[in-house]
Amino acid sequence: MERLEFEFAGGKPVAARNKPVLAGVLGSGNLEVLVEPADLKGRVRVEVETAARGFGPIWQAVLTDVFERWKLGNIRISINDAGATPAVVALRLDQALQEYAGGDA
Amino acid sequence: MREWNRLGLNKAERMERGAALAQGKVVPPARIGELLAQVIESGDRVCIEGNNQKQADFLASALAGLDPAVVNDLHIVQSVLALPSHLDVFETGVASRLDFSFSGQQSARLARLLSAGQLRIGAIHTYLELFGRYFTDLTPRVSLVCAAAADAQGNLYTGGNTEDTPVIVEATAFRRGIVIAQVNEIVDHVPRVDIPGDWVDFVVQSPRPHYIEPLFTRDPAQISEIQVLMAMMAIKGIYAEYGVKRLNHGIGFDTAAIELLLPTYAESLGLRGKIATHWALNPHPALIPAIEAGFVESVHSFGSELGMEEYIRARPDVFFTGPDGSMRSNRALSQTAGLYACDMFIGSTLQIDLQGNSSTATLGRVSGFGGAPNMGSDARGRRHGTETWLRAGREAGTGTMPRGRKLVVQMVETFREHMAPAFVEKLDAWELAETAGLDLPPVMIYGDDVTHILTEEGIANLLLCQNEQEREQAIRGVAGYTPVGLARDKAMVENLRDRGVIRRPADLGVDPRDATRDLLAARSMKDLVHASGGLYDPPARFRSW
């Protein structure tokens, strides 16, 4: 197991009324994503628990692209990863953020 | 005076030695080893019918059981090495040379035997190439083939899995070679004659029905959302774009996802009758929903597929079947259809390099190729035009003389299992060629034949690339977060995207969030059975109920 943390400058803060969103399942090759409101002064924090070691730079690259697409702030994202490929990670985050932001993004 | 019938005279000697062990053409199973020892001579070229699917397993074991002091130095010419016995002959010393196409599950052991010096490989062939050599410099002296049934005259009924039998028997029988067939049963009248009896010298009833591998069954339950996404991109960005009607699909979940999206996603785009109507394809169970939805006009097959027998029998307008109702497949002819009469090949791979060369070779495995190299190559002998072929030719735009191009699409997620990148600077095939002493790196599809590379990140249209540098950046531009992808020239990739050389899902009007398994016309094996009206009967290992 490896624990990784990332922070992004964030964008438009999402209202705290938004409910936490859980997406995905913790099956092999998949991941579980929890998105919840957090007072982070507009920033985004991502915490990753992953079964695969040594992929920090790839996580950084995937997450950077995700938050290029999703200019959101004041959210904490917790990821439980069971060896998902970058494609699955990006898809799952897109789904979770879409649901979290709703019409608010 | 020169003797012009040495082959015939030699065959007569062999037949005389063998005749004592048979009643007419029928050999008792217990005496098969003795028969082989009498009719095979050391140094012979021998073809064991090792297909993709059905296996002459009883004869292969009998050959491996021969005494190498009596029979040795055989040269095995066989398309597929599928069973342990196919390699046992090299371990015991009965055989020493090999020319083949594909080794599948035996590929690791083959690599070990090769490095231990227990055999020499002539070459790894594509199927049509090896079949072609059966009729030139690799004609078998003795062939050990496989059929469902025989009569006392030696007429063979192959059932749905005709596969390589006709090409092997034709090459052997018409050059005074010896054809021995193992059959599941000896009957008074075969349901239909697939191989005429006077081309067959001996038949033996196998103690067990021959082995068949259900190679083309993919459980829809294992198809991922990313595969659904890539299938949507393929349908919209390639099938619809080029109006692809005549095609072959490779084996695997990527293309199974496309098959299962035809009745749903492609139907919603109004594509029924406009794409995917004529196929060179094994009877993939995953194609059942598309057939039932009226997408498919015809399917000609290399081999059959376990469990599909009754479904095929009930759909004679779609499949090639005999007057008895069962399928007749033929690997050589379906490969020819795939090479010359299909406008597109689409399939998965393991590694792609910066020139677009695509390989499934991995270190420590000498696996060879299946049908992909013939179908996944532009047939330069082709002359007939279709809209798809001509359009691809225009995009390739080489020279003043108009020519068409076959679409050759490699479809791959940027990372495979265990985060192995599908895009690499250098294929493992190079190192394999060196360690195994091969003439060439075993490349499945050459870069200059590949027209499109499709990943979850986008479609790279290599036809539109104007030089090597653009081509490399087009490939990097769909290589995702692999080291090859991360090393892209971002400005150049954006330029290629502006020109439509690279198309992202959004450029195709595909929203990745719509890519859910709900789009699959069948999401389980049970759904496939249901779609077939109960006619499809999956093998036990695919049944969870």
Side-chain angles (χ1 to χ4, degrees):
Chain A
M1 288 298 281
E2 189 172 15
R3 192 183 160 77
L4 303 166
E5 285 190 28
F6 303 92
E7 247 191 45
F8 297 90
K12 183 185 169 196
V14 182
R17 63 177 162 77
N18 287 32
K19 290 197 179 77
V21 165
L22 186 69
V25 287
L26 195 60
S28 176
N30 216 318
L31 77 164
E32 203 175 41
V33 174
L34 174 68
V35 184
E36 51 191 343
D39 184 4
L40 295 168
K41 300 189 172 64
R43 297 176 69 81
V44 175
R45 178 169 297 159
V46 184
E47 291 164 10
V48 180
E49 292 267 6
T50 172
R53 301 186 67 86
F55 294 103
I58 294 181
W59 280 101
Q60 176 76 51
V62 173
L63 294 170
T64 302
D65 284 352
V66 168
F67 293 106
E68 280 290 310
R69 291 197 289 275
W70 294 93
K71 303 283 192 188
L72 303 174
N74 275 353
I75 50 172
R76 186 200 316 276
I77 296 180
S78 311
I79 294 175
N80 232 333
D81 168 51
T85 58
V88 176
V89 173
L91 179 63
R92 201 67 74 225
L93 280 167
D94 283 341
Q95 289 167 337
L97 291 168
Q98 164 82 16
E99 193 183 333
Y100 182 80
D104 209 38
Chain B
M1 175 144 158
R2 177 162 175 185
E3 173 52 57
W4 287 99
N5 186 29
R6 284 176 298 155
L7 291 173
L9 293 173
N10 171 264
K11 176 172 181 174
E13 289 169 18
R14 296 175 188 233
M15 290 300 293
E16 202 177 311
R17 296 197 298 265
L21 297 163
Q23 285 181 310
K25 292 186 174 180
V26 179
V27 181
R31 308 201 75 175
I32 191 66
E34 289 171 76
L35 179 86
L36 295 184
Q38 290 301 326
V39 301
I40 296 176
E41 296 177 0
S42 291
D44 274 353
R45 263 194 304 273
V46 174
C47 176
I48 306 168
E49 182 164 11
N51 293 283
N52 231 341
Q53 291 142 291
K54 86 174 165 180
Q55 301 297 338
D57 49 358
F58 177 58
L59 293 175
S61 303
L63 187 72
L66 293 184
D67 180 356
V70 178
V71 176
N72 54 58
D73 198 30
L74 298 183
H75 180 179
I76 304 293
V77 290
Q78 154 178 1
S79 66
V80 178
L81 297 144
L83 305 172
S85 56
H86 292 154
L87 291 179
D88 291 346
V89 289
F90 299 105
E91 211 154 68
T92 61
V94 169
S96 61
R97 281 179 291 166
L98 173 66
D99 278 277
F100 76 112
S101 293
F102 181 65
S103 68
Q105 291 182 5
Q106 303 301 320
S107 59
R109 186 170 162 220
L110 179 58
R112 286 198 299 277
L113 287 172
L114 194 60
S115 59
Q118 285 187 280
L119 77 154
R120 285 169 289 141
I121 288 180
I124 308 177
H125 305 72
T126 69
Y127 287 132
L128 283 178
E129 193 181 7
L130 183 65
F131 298 157
R133 292 191 72 188
Y134 286 170
F135 293 92
T136 50
D137 59 335
L138 291 183
T139 306
R141 195 75 195 108
V142 178
S143 285
L144 310 177
V145 301
C146 188
D151 62 20
Q153 289 74 49
N155 293 303
L156 301 183
Y157 167 63
T158 59
N161 285 89
T162 314
E163 300 193 69
D164 299 9
T165 314
V167 77
I168 296 170
V169 173
E170 177 128 7
T172 311
F174 289 88
R175 205 158 154 72
R176 302 288 188 272
I178 290 179
V179 175
I180 305 171
Q182 83 168 60
V183 297
N184 295 342
E185 53 179 347
I186 292 173
V187 296
D188 290 337
H189 300 285
V190 287
R192 81 176 180 234
V193 177
D194 286 298
I195 304 291
D198 61 355
W199 304 1
V200 176
D201 298 296
F202 297 102
V203 294
V204 57
Q205 184 172 347
S206 168
R208 285 180 313 278
H210 61 251
Y211 179 73
I212 300 189
E213 174 73 21
L215 206 57
F216 296 91
T217 300
R218 291 291 175 274
D219 183 346
Q222 292 187 44
I223 293 174
S224 72
E225 290 156 295
I226 302 298
Q227 284 160 336
V228 172
L229 169 66
M230 288 165 58
M232 292 166 76
M233 293 164 66
I235 287 169
K236 206 153 180 203
I238 298 177
Y239 291 64
E241 188 81 20
Y242 292 88
V244 178
K245 288 189 165 178
R246 312 178 312 168
L247 73 168
N248 168 257
H249 272 189
I251 185 171
F253 288 101
D254 292 328
T255 40
I258 297 175
E259 290 153 24
L260 291 169
L261 250 55
L262 292 174
T264 56
Y265 184 66
E267 175 73 37
S268 74
L269 297 173
L271 295 172
R272 182 165 24 106
K274 295 180 180 154
I275 62 166
T277 52
H278 296 80
W279 298 70
L281 193 81
N282 280 288
H284 289 187
L287 198 63
I288 291 170
I291 293 170
E292 295 304 303
F295 262 79
V296 177
E297 282 183 42
S298 74
V299 178
H300 185 262
S301 301
F302 315 91
S304 190
E305 185 66 1
L306 266 183
M308 287 288 281
E309 299 81 2
E310 292 311 307
Y311 179 72
I312 291 166
R313 187 182 288 276
R315 299 289 180 272
D317 284 349
V318 173
F319 295 98
F320 287 70
T321 56
D324 63 306
S326 69
M327 174 187 243
R328 160 101 176 184
S329 58
N330 187 313
R331 179 149 293 108
L333 297 180
S334 213
Q335 286 278 324
T336 304
L339 176 60
Y340 278 104
C342 283
D343 293 323
M344 181 174 79
F345 165 78
I346 181 167
S348 307
T349 186
L350 292 184
Q351 285 188 336
I352 297 176
D353 70 13
L354 296 174
Q355 288 76 49
N357 294 304
S358 166
S359 168
T360 52
T362 48
L363 294 178
R365 292 181 180 273
V366 179
S367 58
F369 319 108
N374 286 129
M375 286 173 297
S377 65
D378 188 39
R380 297 181 61 81
R382 178 172 164 179
R383 293 295 182 273
H384 71 285
T386 57
E387 202 184 314
T388 307
W389 186 75
L390 293 169
R391 154 120 190 236
R394 282 195 299 276
E395 288 187 355
T398 47
T400 49
M401 183 58 74
R403 288 188 79 165
R405 269 294 285 267
K406 182 194 283 176
L407 296 172
V408 176
V409 183
Q410 290 289 270
M411 182 177 186
V412 67
E413 195 177 333
T414 53
F415 284 94
R416 306 198 314 270
E417 283 179 342
H418 311 300
M419 288 293 281
F423 291 86
V424 295
E425 299 270 344
K426 193 171 184 184
L427 299 175
D428 285 355
W430 288 92
E431 198 177 330
L432 182 66
E434 201 160 305
T435 54
L438 306 174
D439 290 341
L440 302 164
V443 169
M444 181 174 73
I445 298 185
Y446 286 112
D448 56 3
D449 279 320
V450 174
T451 62
H452 295 74
I453 296 176
L454 192 166
T455 73
E456 76 278 5
E457 200 190 2
I459 300 174
N461 181 345
L462 303 183
L463 291 170
L464 298 175
C465 294
Q466 286 164 358
N467 53 48
E468 285 302 304
Q469 198 196 1
E470 279 194 9
R471 193 179 171 84
E472 177 181 327
Q473 290 302 329
I475 293 170
R476 289 189 190 275
V478 295
Y481 299 97
T482 62
V484 160
L486 291 172
R488 71 186 62 175
D489 176 333
K490 282 189 178 168
M492 205 164 158
V493 166
E494 278 315 302
N495 175 265
L496 291 172
R497 187 177 172 189
D498 291 342
R499 282 169 40 202
V501 176
I502 292 177
R503 299 173 83 191
R504 304 285 180 220
D507 306 336
L508 299 167
V510 171
D511 185 340
R513 289 167 301 182
D514 295 338
T516 68
R517 286 179 35 82
D518 292 343
L519 276 179
L520 297 169
R523 289 182 283 281
S524 66
M525 294 301 287
K526 216 170 180 172
D527 286 351
L528 289 175
V529 174
H530 184 72
S532 76
L535 292 165
Y536 172 46
D537 180 24
R541 77 168 96 154
F542 290 102
R543 288 172 176 272
S544 55
W545 61 95

